[in-house]
Every structure is written in structure tokens, then in C-alpha cells.
Amino acid sequence: MISLSREYLSVFGQPVIRAVDPAIFGYRYFTHCMACGFCKDQCCSYGVDIDVENVARIEALGADFEAHVGVPRSKWFTRQRWADPEFPGGAQARTRVKDGACVFLDRKQRGCKIHSYCLDNGIDYHQLKPLVSILFPLTFEGGALVASGELEDKSLICVDQGPNVYDGLRGELAYYFGEGFVAELDGIRARHGTIATV
């Protein structure tokens, strides 16, 4: 783990990143999700962690969003909430699973119905789509930016295909944590090179 020169707060205040696992410069995955013809949306099979502030933003959407999802809003999220200081609002929930996939998965056209709703309505998807979904297969843990477990154990169906996970998500990291953050990570990658992963 490499400590960063300072703390980087996300645009939502949390999470805060203080360190990075250099392995993110070595892991590779199929970055262009919607161009994938082989995964059958495997990574949407389990639902996703979502901060409680984001739950509130989604639940505040009107009947048009509920119709777009095609599932009653009472069935979108787990009722249980977990305290988690790394998530905006200090707590998280989880999207529910329906018929073997996240309730927000578009089973006809693929992709996330939250994301498509945002695109159709001129809304920045960062405001509604779960942070954990957007950053996958990177995640945050104990103040560090790390690879998701699915990369480490190679259970992600598209592992080892495409660019490294950092390059694939560099723009999203810049959105959430700022240009200074990615500039520092660029410097770490230049000093350490591409880290081989097993």
C-alpha cells in the first residue's frame, strides 16, 4: 500500500482516500461494459452497496422513474441500513436482487436502468447511480483505493481483458476525487510501472 501526499475527499465528502494499492495498475478488465458480448451482466447478479443519501435521491424521483424501472419502489432497496463511515451519510443499504440480478438491471437492452434514465433525462449519472457501481472493479476500503475482490480472485468474468483497471476508471476517479488525485496516481504509476498481478 502506498500512502498519498494528502487526503482526497470525494465530491460527496466520503469516502476519503489516503492510500492506493499499486496492484490497480496491473489488473486488467473489459472496460467498455456495454460492448461486452460474453458476460451476460454477471457483475449485476448480486445487487450493489449504495449510500443512504443516494437512496433518498432515487426514492425522491417521480412515477416516471418507477415506470422506467418496472418494479415498485418499495422493492428497490433492502430495508436494513448499516453504519459505514466511508459512505456518504455515514450509512449504506443495498439494491435488491430480483430474478437473479440487481433490480435496476435492464434485462432487455442490458445495462443499468438508473444510468439509462439519467441519459434519457439529461441528469448527470453520478448523482443517482451508486458510487460503488461506477467505480467497479475498483473500491475503497479503510481509506485506500484498492481492487475489488473479484479482480483479486479472478472471479470477474472479464478479468485480464482490456486495459488496466486504473486507466479504465481514471476519468471516474477524477470526477469523484479531483484532477490532483489522478495526477498523483499517474506519478505513482510512472515510478512503479505496471505492477504484475497473479
Side-chain angles (χ1 to χ4, degrees), residues 1-194:
M1 205 64 65
I2 297 173
S3 294
L4 301 177
S5 63
R6 65 179 182 85
E7 294 185 339
Y8 292 92
L9 279 68
S10 87
V11 293
F12 300 120
Q14 294 292 342
V16 177
I17 305 297
R18 302 175 189 87
V20 62
D21 181 350
I24 70 169
F25 305 120
Y27 286 114
R28 296 182 303 116
Y29 79 116
F30 192 93
T31 307
H32 304 290
C33 182
M34 293 304 288
C36 171
F38 58 86
C39 77
K40 298 182 175 28
D41 298 305
Q42 180 196 40
C43 60
C44 297
S45 299
Y46 311 104
V48 68
D49 296 334
I50 181 170
D51 66 84
V52 292
E53 292 179 353
N54 198 358
V55 168
R57 288 192 299 273
I58 291 172
E59 288 182 332
L61 294 171
D64 62 327
F65 179 71
E66 188 167 9
H68 180 75
V69 174
V71 174
R73 68 182 60 237
S74 62
K75 298 185 187 236
W76 293 348
F77 304 106
T78 58
R79 290 186 182 155
Q80 186 177 5
R81 303 295 189 257
W82 301 269
D84 190 329
E86 288 198 282
F87 275 69
Q92 62 168 296
R94 194 159 176 87
T95 64
R96 289 189 184 214
V97 171
K98 178 181 184 290
D99 300 328
C102 177
V103 70
F104 294 109
L105 175 66
D106 188 330
R107 287 156 171 84
K108 292 180 183 172
Q109 299 180 43
R110 296 197 57 227
C112 175
K113 287 191 173 187
I114 298 172
H115 197 123
S116 63
Y117 179 83
C118 289
L119 294 178
D120 292 347
N121 291 279
I123 301 168
D124 180 353
Y125 64 88
H126 296 97
Q127 298 303 311
L128 295 176
K129 190 172 179 182
L131 167 70
V132 172
S133 287
I134 294 173
L135 292 182
F136 186 81
L138 289 178
T139 193
F140 46 91
E141 188 175 286
L145 182 67
V146 298
S148 296
E150 294 89 340
L151 280 176
E152 294 178 341
D153 66 15
K154 297 197 180 277
S155 63
L156 183 65
I157 195 168
C158 65
V159 71
D160 295 333
Q161 301 179 52
N164 73 63
V165 67
Y166 172 67
D167 286 337
L169 290 166
R170 188 180 183 280
E172 299 295 0
L173 292 168
Y175 173 86
Y176 285 114
F177 300 101
E179 290 296 333
F181 179 69
V182 292
E184 183 163 358
L185 295 187
D186 288 347
I188 291 170
R189 180 177 56 182
R191 288 191 302 276
H192 292 271
T194 299

